[in-house]
Amino acid sequence: VTSGLPHLASTPSIQALVDRAGAGDVAAVSRILSLVLNPGPQADEVHRALHRHERAAHVIGVTGPPGAGKSTLVSAMAAAWPGDGRIAVLAIDPSSPLSGGSILGDRVRMKELTGLGRVYVRSVASHGRTGGLAVGIERAIDAVSALGFQAVLVETVGIGQVEVEITGLADTTVAVFSPGQGDIVQAMKSGLNEVADVLVVNKGDLPGAEAVARDLRRLTRGDHGAGPIPRPVLRASATNRTGIEALITAVADHRAALAASGDLEVRRVRRGHMHLRSTLDQRWSVALATVLSSAECSRAAARVASGESRVDDVVPGILAEVAELIRPVQ
Ligand SMILES: Nc1nc2c(ncn2[C@@H]2O[C@H](COP(=O)(O)OP(=O)(O)OP(=O)(O)O)[C@@H](O)[C@H]2O)c(=O)[nH]1
Ligand SMILES: [Mg+2]
């Protein structure tokens, strides 16, 4: 898809920032993400500077019920990642006062990672987006991928029911379970069994982990879910750092199978689709809110209420104004 718009060169400062971020400068990566997470002229410049960069990162979604150990597991995976490629961790922050405590915990735990240099950790505020994701997460994933990161681990919000929207963005979705979390069958019924590519029972150091793994194996037996290969059910302990290499291997094997079957491209297109859709959603709702709050719209509302105008006659004019507002300025 070409926009038909001229691709203006980015300013030297943004280009220099992108160059530094691409070379591994963590502060520069941080700045870039802050820019892309806040739509505006500078975000547009960053996008221009990243335009045509290769996006080869393995996008891994990590989801599962609250407290299953997603953050601890993601930290352990990032720390144990083989090779010298850079790993980004994007943790969705529900920015809700109710979960403030656990978020602080995440930050503290994840902080120990930032010293490694290879691992970049960022929490992304959900800004009210549901489905376990955050507004702008597509842009954040796209940016770190374009900056040359090898893998992006996206930890979703666990808000009680299992959140599966991440599967629209990830190449590989890891579902994290733990013993003693209640009804596994219920969790599976909520959809995770259909979407998870790798299932892991974390807290393998606690009693009951093997029983949960057995239940999961029974539920997934002979069922390949949405992917090309049978889904592994693994056991790990994020705190004891056991089973982490096997989990990383399972995730890498899944990607290799996707590449071999052609599904990697399918998932990449699906991610692009979600990126497009969420961008359209956002720009559309901002423009619609602006038009709806205009005096002209209030007058139209009064005419509709009195029966003077038919709603179907008023709507096309409003749609045209919204479209006018959405039109890019450059
Ligand atoms: N025993 C044990 N505890 C663990 C393990 N992994 C995580 N925990 C503990 O479980 C609690 C929750 O861990 P988190 O990593 O914050 O879990 P989470 O899934 O990210 O939680 P939310 O993001 O709040 O949904 C913490 O107290 C961890 O220390 C493990 O392998 N074994
Ligand atoms: Mg967490």
Side-chain angles (χ1 to χ4, degrees):
V1 180
T2 53
S3 63
L5 295 168
H7 286 291
L8 309 175
S10 47
T11 62
S13 63
I14 294 286
Q15 188 58 55
L17 190 66
V18 165
D19 291 345
R20 286 210 308 279
D25 179 333
V26 171
V29 174
S30 237
R31 180 83 186 114
I32 297 271
L33 281 190
S34 298
L35 292 176
V36 301
L37 286 168
N38 294 291
Q42 285 193 297
D44 293 345
E45 280 201 50
V46 172
H47 292 309
R48 268 200 295 278
L50 292 175
H51 181 223
R52 297 196 189 286
H53 280 216
E54 188 188 7
R55 283 142 167 90
H58 184 186
V59 181
I60 301 151
V62 179
T63 188
K70 299 179 293 296
S71 299
T72 319
L73 203 56
V74 160
S75 304
M77 287 173 80
W81 207 269
D84 50 16
R86 289 179 296 148
I87 315 299
V89 174
L90 302 175
I92 313 291
D93 177 346
S95 40
S96 130
L98 279 178
S99 36
S102 73
I103 295 308
L104 190 62
D106 283 354
R107 289 225 175 96
V108 170
R109 267 196 303 284
M110 287 196 165
K111 214 169 202 157
E112 60 190 79
L113 279 174
T114 54
L116 287 174
R118 290 178 60 208
V119 179
Y120 174 76
V121 180
R122 172 93 180 204
S123 60
V124 182
S126 67
H127 287 307
R129 179 164 174 180
T130 56
L133 295 181
V135 171
I137 189 67
E138 291 89 350
R139 292 193 299 273
I141 292 172
D142 182 68
V144 289
S145 192
L147 287 173
F149 280 79
Q150 186 186 71
V152 190
L153 293 156
V154 182
E155 180 195 341
T156 73
V157 181
I159 50 170
Q161 89 239 49
V162 170
E163 296 303 335
V164 295
E165 266 196 47
I166 183 62
T167 58
L169 289 179
D171 299 313
T172 304
T173 299
V174 176
V176 184
F177 297 89
S178 66
Q181 84 192 11
D183 195 349
I184 285 290
V185 176
Q186 201 51 44
M188 299 304 279
K189 273 186 189 156
S190 66
L192 202 52
N193 57 325
E194 278 137 40
V195 297
D197 302 301
V198 174
L199 297 90
V200 56
V201 181
N202 185 41
K203 308 196 185 181
D205 54 295
L206 296 182
E210 189 46 43
V212 174
R214 234 184 356 254
D215 283 351
L216 291 175
R217 284 194 193 101
R218 199 160 30 76
L219 280 161
T220 55
R221 186 171 300 147
D223 157 20
H224 295 188
I229 53 167
R231 280 100 46 80
V233 177
L234 307 171
R235 265 180 72 177
S237 169
T239 45
N240 293 359
R241 310 247 159 155
T242 57
I244 307 300
E245 277 82 11
L247 175 57
I248 293 172
T249 302
V251 161
D253 286 351
H254 177 255
R255 185 184 207 254
L258 286 179
S261 70
D263 281 354
L264 193 60
E265 184 56 20
V266 172
R267 294 195 183 199
R268 187 213 280 266
V269 171
R270 189 170 65 182
R271 178 158 60 243
H273 194 272
M274 226 167 129
H275 192 164
L276 252 180
R277 193 202 161 99
S278 69
T279 305
L280 286 165
D281 269 352
Q282 257 175 283
R283 295 183 65 172
W284 168 257
S285 30
V286 168
L288 182 61
T290 306
V291 172
L292 283 175
S293 63
S294 68
E296 199 187 329
C297 208
S298 300
R299 285 192 293 275
R303 289 197 305 276
V304 167
S306 70
E308 190 186 327
S309 299
R310 283 184 344 125
V311 75
D312 289 342
D313 292 336
V314 171
V315 162
I318 295 177
L319 284 176
E321 276 183 56
V322 172
E324 192 60 37
L325 271 185
I326 290 176
R327 188 162 296 173
V329 272
Q330 299 123 338

mmCIF file with all atom_site columns, all heavy atoms in Angstrom, residues 85 96 123 194:
data_model
loop_
_atom_site.group_PDB
_atom_site.id
_atom_site.type_symbol
_atom_site.label_atom_id
_atom_site.label_alt_id
_atom_site.label_comp_id
_atom_site.label_asym_id
_atom_site.label_entity_id
_atom_site.label_seq_id
_atom_site.pdbx_PDB_ins_code
_atom_site.Cartn_x
_atom_site.Cartn_y
_atom_site.Cartn_z
_atom_site.occupancy
_atom_site.B_iso_or_equiv
_atom_site.pdbx_formal_charge
_atom_site.auth_seq_id
_atom_site.auth_comp_id
_atom_site.auth_asym_id
_atom_site.auth_atom_id
_atom_site.pdbx_PDB_model_num
ATOM 1  N N   . GLY A 1 85  ? 21.772  -11.110 19.905 1.00 0.00 ? 85  GLY A N   1
ATOM 2  C CA  . GLY A 1 85  ? 20.746  -10.184 19.423 1.00 0.00 ? 85  GLY A CA  1
ATOM 3  C C   . GLY A 1 85  ? 20.095  -9.451  20.580 1.00 0.00 ? 85  GLY A C   1
ATOM 4  O O   . GLY A 1 85  ? 20.166  -9.887  21.734 1.00 0.00 ? 85  GLY A O   1
ATOM 5  N N   . SER A 1 96  ? -4.191  1.073   36.196 1.00 0.00 ? 96  SER A N   1
ATOM 6  C CA  . SER A 1 96  ? -5.386  1.143   37.020 1.00 0.00 ? 96  SER A CA  1
ATOM 7  C C   . SER A 1 96  ? -4.943  1.148   38.472 1.00 0.00 ? 96  SER A C   1
ATOM 8  O O   . SER A 1 96  ? -4.024  0.431   38.851 1.00 0.00 ? 96  SER A O   1
ATOM 9  C CB  . SER A 1 96  ? -6.284  -0.058  36.731 1.00 0.00 ? 96  SER A CB  1
ATOM 10 O OG  . SER A 1 96  ? -6.666  -0.700  37.918 1.00 0.00 ? 96  SER A OG  1
ATOM 11 N N   . SER A 1 123 ? 7.380   -0.460  30.022 1.00 0.00 ? 123 SER A N   1
ATOM 12 C CA  . SER A 1 123 ? 5.964   -0.727  30.222 1.00 0.00 ? 123 SER A CA  1
ATOM 13 C C   . SER A 1 123 ? 5.167   0.279   29.400 1.00 0.00 ? 123 SER A C   1
ATOM 14 O O   . SER A 1 123 ? 5.574   1.421   29.207 1.00 0.00 ? 123 SER A O   1
ATOM 15 C CB  . SER A 1 123 ? 5.580   -0.707  31.700 1.00 0.00 ? 123 SER A CB  1
ATOM 16 O OG  . SER A 1 123 ? 5.853   0.542   32.242 1.00 0.00 ? 123 SER A OG  1
ATOM 17 N N   . GLU A 1 194 ? -7.358  -22.534 22.070 1.00 0.00 ? 194 GLU A N   1
ATOM 18 C CA  . GLU A 1 194 ? -7.368  -22.409 20.612 1.00 0.00 ? 194 GLU A CA  1
ATOM 19 C C   . GLU A 1 194 ? -6.232  -21.542 20.101 1.00 0.00 ? 194 GLU A C   1
ATOM 20 O O   . GLU A 1 194 ? -5.882  -21.616 18.933 1.00 0.00 ? 194 GLU A O   1
ATOM 21 C CB  . GLU A 1 194 ? -8.693  -21.827 20.135 1.00 0.00 ? 194 GLU A CB  1
ATOM 22 C CG  . GLU A 1 194 ? -9.785  -22.868 20.031 1.00 0.00 ? 194 GLU A CG  1
ATOM 23 C CD  . GLU A 1 194 ? -11.096 -22.363 20.588 1.00 0.00 ? 194 GLU A CD  1
ATOM 24 O OE1 . GLU A 1 194 ? -11.416 -21.187 20.345 1.00 0.00 ? 194 GLU A OE1 1
ATOM 25 O OE2 . GLU A 1 194 ? -11.775 -23.142 21.281 1.00 0.00 ? 194 GLU A OE2 1
#
